[in-house]
């Protein structure tokens, strides 16, 4: 088969991530005698430094792990909504939708505790040993990717007027990070050094120090800084300034937890995903919707059409049924009977509708955001099919579905 990338092979170990420095870090940990979990934690914290526009220690992380000789497990690093994030609170502010940016959108940070629990339960390295790579790149610098600069520029106004501490880091001397020019984050390096020092002061044991780091994050100087920032009114997409609902009590009460994965057996393989608090089960539904469990031929238009339409049906179910509260009928959503009926909805032309199913006869409910997104898609499709000539615009065939 022709590929545009070389086939990677090795005899010792392999690591993959979204950034070369994180992958390099993971392999360095393996070469230093660490195991895969040590390598994953070290790489994860390096990603916080080199790709801060994508993830961070105060974000979330779903982890699927398969220890040698043990069962596959999911480690949930997704924090819940703060206790004060109630419908009554938001409506009292005159809001019908949680603003997409700003403090009101903040969940309880989950990533740091999940990485620490992974290191505590399955790793072999000490906290200082896995954090030293992230500390090094934050202190001495790294070549920023282009997307980092682009993202910083999109929020420059907010950084300069609202998130001034972020401006000090990401807009030094008023300049966004530039590709080819070393970018440093000494504030983050200092945070991790202090956290390591306080953890090591708790005692000599590896796990003792990791547990101390978790307490520092939840109740110590890190938690105090997060709570102070959350209490400061900040402008959000509603056009008003609001305080976060996140409090120190929320931070102190959170701990990452383990759970069983959602699974689906396909062509002799058991595919594992995190639960419906993520969109992971969508892939399992896509597999269940494939004709007779077969894989589509990349060169076969009919196979690709079936895959694409099945993906849309699975995504529609995600919008209607997935969530982190209440019962999600995954047993029915992955059942042969349900998917056989759903498969019959796939016709010879592309569907332009959002079509969630009715597992167990239940009536699906879609959020206004999902229906608005579908309407925007139709408008974009009409624009793409428009013929522009001279000084006029004519929409061609906007009422008929497109052929695949």
């Amino acid at each position: 088969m022709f590929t545009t990338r070389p086939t990677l092979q090795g005899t010792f170990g392999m690591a993959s991530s979204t950034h070369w420095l994180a992958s390099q870090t993971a392999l360095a940990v393996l070469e230093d005698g660490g195991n895969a979990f040590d390598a994953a934690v070290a790489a994860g914290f390096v990603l916080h430094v080199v790709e801060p526009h994508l993830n961070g220690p105060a974000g979330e992380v779903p982890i699927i792990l398969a220890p040698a000789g043990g069962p596959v497990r999911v480690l949930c690093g997704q924090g819940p909504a703060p206790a004060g994030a109630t419908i009554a609170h938001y409506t009292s502010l005159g809001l019908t939708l949680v603003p997409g940016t700003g403090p009101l959108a903040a969940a309880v940070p989950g990533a740091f505790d999940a990485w620490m629990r992974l290191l505590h339960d399955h790793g072999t390295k000490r906290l200082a040993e896995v954090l030293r790579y992230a500390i090094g790149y934050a202190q001495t610098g790294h070549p920023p990717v282009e997307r980092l600069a682009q993202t910083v520029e999109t929020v420059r106004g907010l950084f300069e007027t609202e998130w001034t501490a972020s401006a000090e880091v990401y807009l030094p001397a008023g300049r966004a990070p530039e590709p080819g020019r070393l970018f440093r984050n000494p504030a983050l390096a200092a945070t991790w050094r202090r956290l390591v020092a306080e953890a090591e002061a708790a005692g000599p044991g590896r796990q003792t120090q990791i547990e101390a780091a978790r307490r520092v994050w939840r109740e110590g100087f890190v938690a105090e800084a997060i709570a102070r920032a959350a209490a400061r009114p900040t402008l959000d997409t509603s056009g008003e300034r609001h305080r976060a609902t996140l409090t120190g009590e929320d931070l102190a009460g959170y701990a990452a937890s383990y759970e069983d994965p959602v699974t689906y057996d396909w062509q002799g393989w058991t595919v594992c995903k995190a639960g419906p608090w993520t969109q992971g089960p969508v892939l399992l539904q896509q597999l269940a919707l494939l004709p007779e469990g077969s894989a589509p031929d990349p060169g076969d238009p009919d196979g690709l059409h079936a895959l694409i339409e099945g993906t849309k049906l699975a995504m529609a179910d995600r919008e209607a049924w997935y969530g982190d509260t209440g019962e999600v009928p995954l047993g029915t959503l992955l059942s042969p009977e349900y998917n056989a009926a759903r498969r019959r909805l796939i016709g010879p032309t592309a569907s332009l509708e959002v079509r969630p199913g009715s597992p167990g006869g239940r009536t699906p409910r879609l959020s206004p955001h999902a229906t608005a997104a579908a309407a925007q898609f139709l408008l974009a499709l009409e624009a793409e099919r428009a013929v522009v000539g001279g000084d006029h615009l004519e929409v061609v065939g906007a009422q008929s579905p497109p052929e695949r």
Side-chain angles (χ1 to χ4, degrees):
M1 178 185 295
F2 171 77
T3 65
T4 59
R5 298 289 187 273
T7 299
L8 301 180
Q9 296 177 310
T11 58
F12 173 70
M14 189 171 292
S16 177
S17 77
T18 55
H19 195 285
W20 63 93
L21 291 179
S23 300
Q24 176 178 294
T25 293
L27 199 59
V29 172
L30 294 176
E31 291 173 339
D32 192 44
N35 65 18
F37 303 104
D38 298 316
V41 175
F45 278 89
V46 168
L47 287 175
H48 299 165
V49 177
V50 299
E51 291 185 338
H53 58 299
L54 297 179
N55 67 121
E60 75 284 334
V61 55
I63 300 172
I64 302 177
L65 56 143
V72 177
R73 297 285 279 162
V74 171
L75 179 53
C76 174
Q78 170 63 69
T86 64
I87 293 176
H89 176 70
Y90 291 116
T91 55
S92 72
L93 299 175
L95 299 170
T96 58
L97 190 68
V98 179
T101 64
L104 283 177
V108 179
F112 180 86
D113 197 70
W115 286 122
M116 289 298 100
R117 186 155 189 189
L118 184 68
L119 183 65
H120 177 281
D121 295 348
H122 300 282
T124 64
K125 293 287 190 180
R126 291 178 174 272
L127 178 67
E129 293 177 300
V130 297
L131 281 185
R132 68 185 181 93
Y133 303 91
I135 292 172
Y137 286 122
Q139 185 64 48
T140 63
H142 61 90
V145 295
E146 291 185 4
R147 188 60 182 161
L148 173 56
Q150 295 167 0
T151 304
V152 170
E153 287 295 348
T154 64
V155 292
R156 173 184 283 272
L158 280 174
F159 277 11
E160 292 177 337
T161 61
E162 305 294 325
W163 304 99
T164 54
S166 295
E168 293 174 4
V169 174
Y170 294 106
L171 290 169
R175 297 173 61 178
E178 299 177 27
R181 182 186 182 95
L182 281 182
F183 174 70
R184 298 175 175 85
N185 190 340
L188 182 59
T191 297
W192 292 148
R193 282 197 298 267
R194 179 177 173 182
L195 182 137
V196 168
E198 294 192 14
E200 290 179 337
R206 186 186 77 87
Q207 292 182 322
T208 296
Q209 293 177 3
I210 296 170
E211 282 299 308
R214 295 176 71 187
R215 289 194 299 272
V216 170
W217 177 273
R218 293 197 299 252
E219 303 172 26
F221 79 94
V222 176
E224 292 169 359
I226 293 174
R228 283 196 303 272
R232 183 170 58 85
T234 306
L235 186 69
D236 57 40
T237 48
S238 72
E240 302 291 336
R241 285 184 169 82
H242 296 109
R243 292 182 175 87
T245 57
L246 183 66
T247 66
E249 288 76 16
D250 294 312
L251 294 163
Y254 173 75
S257 59
Y258 289 101
E259 60 188 52
D260 292 327
V262 181
T263 63
Y264 184 78
D265 293 329
W266 187 75
Q267 293 193 345
W269 295 89
T270 297
V271 184
C272 301
K273 284 292 185 180
W277 49 273
T278 73
Q279 65 175 352
V282 164
L283 175 63
L284 308 184
Q285 286 195 252
Q286 289 174 260
L287 295 175
L289 281 162
L290 290 175
E292 300 178 358
S294 61
D297 180 352
D300 176 21
D302 290 328
L304 287 179
H305 172 69
L307 175 62
I308 293 169
E309 293 301 298
T311 298
K312 288 153 66 174
L313 292 173
M315 291 289 186
D317 276 342
R318 177 198 67 181
E319 294 300 317
W321 299 110
Y322 289 20
D324 55 8
T325 59
E327 179 191 357
V328 179
L330 279 178
T332 302
L333 292 173
L334 294 173
S335 67
E337 299 78 14
Y338 178 81
N339 285 284
R342 296 284 278 162
R343 201 178 298 120
R344 288 193 289 271
L345 295 176
I346 300 175
T349 58
S351 170
L352 302 182
E353 302 175 42
V354 180
R355 299 183 291 176
S358 300
R362 297 163 62 178
T363 302
R365 295 176 61 187
L366 291 173
S367 70
H369 177 76
T371 53
Q376 290 176 352
F377 167 76
L378 288 176
L379 290 174
L381 181 64
E382 290 182 353
E384 286 183 2
R385 300 177 67 204
V387 176
V388 180
D391 58 356
H392 71 281
L393 176 68
E394 180 183 3
V395 178
V396 179
Q399 301 305 313
S400 59
E403 295 294 329
R404 57 174 168 81

